Amino acid sequence: MSETPPENPDFDAMTRDIAEVPAVEVIVTVAVNLMSAAAVKLGLSEEGDTYKDLDEARKLITALAGLLDGGATEISSFHAAPLRDGLKSLQLAFREASIVPDEPGQGPGEKYTGPVYR
């Protein structure tokens, strides 16, 4: 029985591909992925509560807030404004989903965004 080695990825080609992607696009793509994952963990996907996990959602929302806080000046308000709106929506959804809501300023990502109120 002969085993064939797994295909090795072409790291040079991958490096060239990523080198052609503008930083703004990378930041926005990561932010959208964090938003999507947080929405699923908040139970906001078509599957509903199947994948709901507020602890995981908290981590994702906090990471998103940190990314936007650190990268907002680099990606322009054209890109940052809708991402901030999405972040605030996730923070509010988290607050609504929590049985015992965090104090204002203590919710996920609020150390970067400030308190989020209903």
Side-chain angles (χ1 to χ4, degrees), residues 3 9 15 27 32 40 51 57 59-60 63-64 73 78 83 112 117:
E3 281 188 39
T15 300
I27 293 167
V32 169
V40 170
Y51 302 108
K59 293 171 188 171
L60 292 162
L64 174 62
T73 58
F78 175 78
L83 294 173
Y112 300 108
Y117 300 98

Side-chain angles (χ1 to χ4, degrees), residues 27-76:
I27 293 167
V28 170
T29 299
V30 169
V32 169
N33 285 330
L34 287 168
M35 290 174 81
S36 297
V40 170
K41 296 297 184 176
L42 286 169
L44 302 176
S45 67
E46 289 181 9
E47 293 83 11
D49 289 349
T50 304
Y51 302 108
K52 189 173 183 177
D53 184 334
L54 294 183
D55 185 50
E56 291 289 301
R58 177 184 295 277
K59 293 171 188 171
L60 292 162
I61 294 168
T62 299
L64 174 62
L67 175 65
L68 295 181
D69 184 53
T73 58
E74 304 299 327
I75 62 174
S76 80

Side-chain angles (χ1 to χ4, degrees), residues 95 100-107 110 115-116:
R95 192 167 286 286
V100 180
D102 297 312
E103 292 293 321
Q106 301 301 309
E110 292 182 13
V116 175

